[in-house]
């Protein structure tokens, strides 16, 4: 006796197509992901070698900023001897400009 096939509204899933799609996705995305991870690894390896140089550059920048700040303060504190022009009109000029 043969049993009739169960009637269902679902179609059988094409697992072969889904598997092929997943494999294609893995092959497509693997290259860029590995390149990204490799780039991060290379950058971190290079950074580990350059940490002493980075410390030297940071110290040099701090010393340079200190020297510049000190020079600017010294220049700001200098005064010049003598009269200073304030850009105000003199007291007697209004009377001299009148027509007599």
């Amino acid at each position: 006796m043969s049993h009739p096939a169960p009637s269902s509204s679902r179609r059988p899933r094409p697992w072969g197509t889904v598997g092929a799609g997943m494999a294609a996705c893995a092959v497509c995305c693997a290259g860029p992901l590995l390149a990204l991870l490799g780039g991060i690894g290379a950058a971190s390896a290079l950074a580990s070698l350059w940490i002493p140089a980075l410390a030297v550059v940071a110290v040099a920048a701090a010393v340079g900023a200190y020297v510049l700040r000190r020079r600017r303060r010294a220049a700001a504190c200098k005064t010049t001897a003598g009269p200073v022009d304030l850009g105000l009109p003199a007291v007697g000029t209004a009377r001299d400009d009148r027509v007599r």
Side-chain angles (χ1 to χ4, degrees), residues 51-67:
I51 291 231
L54 182 61
V56 169
V57 169
V59 168
V63 168
Y66 176 74
V67 168

Side-chain angles (χ1 to χ4, degrees), residues 36-93:
L36 176 71
L37 293 175
I40 291 171
S44 65
L46 186 64
S48 69
L49 296 175
W50 286 99
I51 291 231
L54 182 61
V56 169
V57 169
V59 168
V63 168
Y66 176 74
V67 168
L68 283 176
R69 184 176 175 197
R70 194 172 161 117
R71 282 186 189 172
R72 287 183 183 167
R73 269 196 188 165
C77 292
K78 287 185 182 178
T79 58
T80 56
V84 177
D85 182 26
L86 299 177
L88 299 173
V91 177
T93 57

Side-chain angles (χ1 to χ4, degrees), residues 9-48:
S9 60
R10 287 196 239 167
R11 293 183 355 194
R13 293 187 182 177
W15 289 109
T17 305
V18 172
M22 290 173 58
C25 181
V27 169
C28 176
C29 295
L33 286 175
L34 288 176
L36 176 71
L37 293 175
I40 291 171
S44 65
L46 186 64
S48 69

